[in-house]
Amino acid sequence: MSASPATPTDNDVPENANESCPGTMSESAGRSKACEGCPNQAACASAVRKPDPALVEIRDRMATVKHKILVLSGKGGVGKSTLAAQLSFALAAHQLQVGLLDIDICGPSIPHLLGLTGEQVHQSGLGWSPVYLEDNLGVMSIGFMLPNRDDPVIWRGPRKNGLIKQFMKDVFWGEIDYLLVDTPPGTSDEHLSIVEFLKATTFDGAIIVTTPQEIALSDVRKEINFCKKVGMRVLGVVENMSGFVCPHCNCETTIFHPSSGGAERMARDFNVPFLGRIPLDAELAKACEMGCSYLQDNRDRPGVRALGEIVSQLMTEAEKMERIENQNAQHNS
């Protein structure tokens, strides 16, 4: 049976509420600017909020997922979805079980980047089944649920948050090693929701993607500060489009000038790991358009080597965190 995005009612938006109502279950219910003048404002502000029962369902559902990693960026157009897709290909190539969750509700790029445009989500007794590219690479996106790929998703925050909650508690991933979560740019509703839901379980942290120039870095700094404010670990920063690789001689040329020192300096200033640089490469662009792995036929390309090093660092860090968690669990028992 095919699945379609239900109209989420998790945040309980009253019929007579203001247009930008955050929902009666929100922490800001009755207190945000959007609540001013609403007939329900006083009741919402004074209500005692019970713990969200969905968090228990999310914890149980995520118990079979070893590592959960967000892919973030404060800036759009820096290649965040491209990195999420290629990391998924790379981890799957290591014979790991991998899931890729696309929570960019209004701009779902993941189906195209993995060559899955036109696929549909199906529902079983275990929940929503991901769309599988390979036996060990499953994908979930609202892009699989739209009747027409060109249809816009015109949803306010509560409805988007409700779908993200459904993804977290209803998708059956099974036993997997990595779940990568591709997010929209910025630090708004979707980001707050996914962090809240992931805190119901254990998760590794976030990879942050940027390009070298200051116009991107100025927004990405905000993303790092967002991670610190919500208590989310930054696993590292990736500088994408750090140079252009000539398809004829493999020489690299700087395209986006790192006037303020680029991502490496920013990572050093914020005391977070710098994972590496991925250059602009026509072969990477072609792989994205074809929905296939960049690593497959381009082993000598500088970008492939850079991506391989980033994946190795990520796996090493994830394994280290897993050992620490196991030691803590043994100590507590």
Side-chain angles (χ1 to χ4, degrees), residues 1-4 61 120-130 132 140 169-174:
M1 182 173 65
S2 296
S4 59
R61 182 68 83 179
Q120 290 187 329
V121 173
H122 296 280
Q123 196 162 10
S124 71
L126 296 172
W128 288 357
S129 298
Y132 282 91
M140 178 58 68
K169 69 184 180 69
D170 292 343
V171 176
F172 177 68
W173 297 101

Side-chain angles (χ1 to χ4, degrees), residues 248-262:
H248 304 291
C249 66
N250 270 0
C251 289
E252 288 189 44
T253 303
T254 298
I255 301 294
F256 300 117
H257 180 60
S259 59
S260 57

Side-chain angles (χ1 to χ4, degrees), residues 16-72:
N16 62 341
N18 290 351
E19 276 194 13
S20 301
C21 173
T24 59
M25 297 298 294
S26 168
E27 288 295 322
S28 61
R31 300 177 177 86
S32 76
K33 199 164 186 179
C35 300
E36 292 178 3
C38 176
N40 309 295
Q41 183 176 13
C44 289
S46 61
V48 177
R49 287 166 188 79
K50 298 177 182 178
D52 188 345
L55 296 181
V56 176
E57 296 178 62
I58 291 170
R59 183 194 64 200
D60 294 343
R61 182 68 83 179
M62 290 289 109
T64 60
V65 180
K66 284 185 183 177
H67 301 289
K68 309 161 195 75
I69 298 171
L70 299 183
V71 183
L72 301 173

Side-chain angles (χ1 to χ4, degrees), residues 122-168:
H122 296 280
Q123 196 162 10
S124 71
L126 296 172
W128 288 357
S129 298
V131 174
Y132 282 91
L133 180 65
E134 303 286 349
D135 289 342
N136 64 333
L137 177 52
V139 184
M140 178 58 68
S141 170
I142 192 176
F144 300 136
M145 301 176 175
L146 300 177
N148 185 328
R149 61 176 293 186
D150 296 327
D151 287 345
V153 179
I154 310 172
W155 288 1
R156 295 189 184 277
R159 194 172 181 193
K160 289 192 286 186
N161 297 344
L163 180 60
I164 293 170
K165 184 184 289 187
Q166 280 188 285
F167 281 157
M168 293 298 295

Side-chain angles (χ1 to χ4, degrees), residues 69-73 80-81 83-84 87 180-183 206-207 209:
I69 298 171
L70 299 183
V71 183
L72 301 173
S73 180
K80 171 181 49 55
S81 296
L83 182 66
L87 284 177
L180 300 179
V181 183
D182 183 40
T183 63
I207 296 172
V209 187

Side-chain angles (χ1 to χ4, degrees), residues 77 91 231 243 256 258 264 304:
L91 290 167
F256 300 117
E264 186 170 12
V304 170

